[in-house]
Amino acid sequence: MRLLYVFALILAVRIASVFVVQTYYVPDEYWQSLEVAHKLTFGYGYLTWEWVKGIRSYVYPLIIAGIYKLLALLQLDSAQLLVVLPRLLQATLTAYSDYRFYVWTGKRKWALFLILVPWFWFYTGSRTLSNTLEASLTTIALSYFPWIGEGSAYLWPAAICCFLRPTAAVIWVPLVIYHLRKTRQPPLELILKHFVLIGAFVAGVGIAIDTYWHGQLIVTPWEFLKYNILHNIGSFYGSHPWYWYFTVGLPTVLGINTLPFIYGIMETVRKGDRHPVSKQLLISILVTLVVLSTVEHKEFRFVTSLLPLCLYVCAESLSRWSYRASRTQLWAAALIILLGNVVPAWYLSTVHQKGPIELMPKLQEIAKDYRDEREQRANILFLMPCHSTPYYSHIHENVTMRFLTCNPNLEQRENFKDEADRFFEAPMHWLRSHIPVHPITAQPSHVVLFDSLEKKITDFLINYKLLYSIEHAEHVQSRTGKSILVYQRLNKGEENAFNRQEDAELPAEPQSSENLFN
C-alpha cells in the first residue's frame, strides 16, 4: 500500500507539471511529435525536412495520433485537448519511470526526494519530446537491469529507446558488456536467445511501421545516424566546443544536484568495490559524454537520459552520508537542494519564453472566427525565426499559415543561406519579393513577429493594426524580443492611423471588439 501512495505522490507532481509548465523550450516538442500526429490524423499540417528525408520514426507520433483519432471519433477534438492529453500521457509515463527509479534504488527516501525535485526533469518531464521519452525508457530499463541475479527484461525498453534515438545505444554498450561479464549463462546463448531476438523483434516492428508511413522501405535509425553523424547536419543549427557537456551541459541539467553528484563520484572512486552499481553507471556516463562530445551540435536535452544515472549516484552517496549526519545537517542539505531546484523550475516553467504558449490560443480564436470583407478566412504569416511557435496542433483549423523555413544545406550548395537568414538580412527586400502589394486582400490577414523586428518593417505594417502584444522574455536577442506582436490587416475603410502613434502603449488586448473579426 505504501508503494501505491508513493506512486500517487509522483503522479500528482507530474500531472501538476502539465499545467504549471507553460513556456516554450525547443521546437522538437511540437514539430517532431504533435505536428506529425496532427498531420496523420486530420490530413493537414506541416512535416519538417526530417520527415521528408526519413530520419525520424513514426512510432511516438503514432501513439499521439491514436489519442487524436479517439478524440475525433468522440467529436471532442478541441485544440485544448489536442495540446493537453499528449502531455498527460507523457507525464504518466514519466511518473511510472520515476516510480521504477524509486524501486530500483532500494526505496530510499533520498531517491524519492531526488527524482521529484530536479528542476530540469520537472521542466521537461511532461513535454512531448523524444528526449523525455528516451529518459523515461532508460530509467525503466535500468530498474529491470540484472544488477543482482539474472534477467533480460530490461532489453525491451532499452531496445525501443535505441530504435527511436540511436544515440541512446551509447549508454547501453558499457552496461551490456557488464551484463555479459557477470552473467552465469553462456554469453553466446544470452546474446542469441535474448539480445538478438529482442533486438530483431523491436527493429522489425519499428521498420515495418516506418516503412508503411514513409511510403518506402526505410531504416530510420540508419538515416538518423547518416545525416547527424556522417553528414554532420546538426552543426547547421549551432556548434559548441568538445568540452561543453562536461563544463556546461551536464552541470546545468543537474543544477544544484551537481554538488551531491561530485560527492558521489569522489566516494565511488575511493571505494569502488563498495559501490559497484554507481561505478558502472559512472562508466556509462563518462563514455556517453565522450561520444556526444565528438558531435559539434550540442544541446542540454541530449543528456536528459543521463539524469537517472546521475541521480542514482547522488541518492546512494547521500543515503550513506545520512547515517553519520546530524538532523540539522540532513534538513539543511534537503532545503538547499529543494530551493536550488524550485527557483529555476519556477522561473523557466512560468516566466521565461512564455510568449509562444500564450500566443497560440489567441491565434486559434482568430483562425476559428476571423473573416475579412470578402469572407475569406485568416491567412497568418510568421515573421520569426523558424519554429518559434507551435503550429497546427495548437490551432486545429485548416487555415493558410506560413513561416520562415530553416532547412539545412542538404544539397551542399555553396554560399547557402536558409530562408530565415535571407529574411533577417534584408526584411523589407524579402517582403517586397514574396508578399504581393495589390490587391490588399492578397496580403496576409495577420502577421506575427517579435517586437525587435517591428521598426524594421514599418512600411509593410502600414496596412495593419496592432492586435496583441504578448510578453515573451526579459532580454532582446538578435532575432527575438521581449514581446510577440500580432498585427491584423486593415479592412476596407478602416483608418490606417494605428501605426502612426509612436508614443502610444502597445495594447495587451484588442483595443475594441469592433472590426476585429468583421
Side-chain angles (χ1 to χ4, degrees), residues 341-358:
N341 283 288
V342 166
V343 173
W346 167 80
Y347 173 73
L348 292 169
S349 299
T350 63
V351 179
H352 184 62
Q353 295 188 165
K354 65 180 181 178
I357 307 305
E358 294 184 0

Side-chain angles (χ1 to χ4, degrees), residues 14 17 47 54 71 182 195 238 279 340 418 438 458:
R14 296 306 166 208
S17 73
L47 297 180
L71 289 173
K182 72 174 284 294
F195 289 20
K279 179 180 178 181
D418 62 45
H438 300 289
T458 51

Side-chain angles (χ1 to χ4, degrees), residues 41 96 160 164 190 246 272 391 428 444 474 497:
T41 307
Y96 177 69
I160 296 171
L164 297 180
L190 179 63
F246 292 94
Y391 216 46
M428 283 305 301
E474 297 72 42

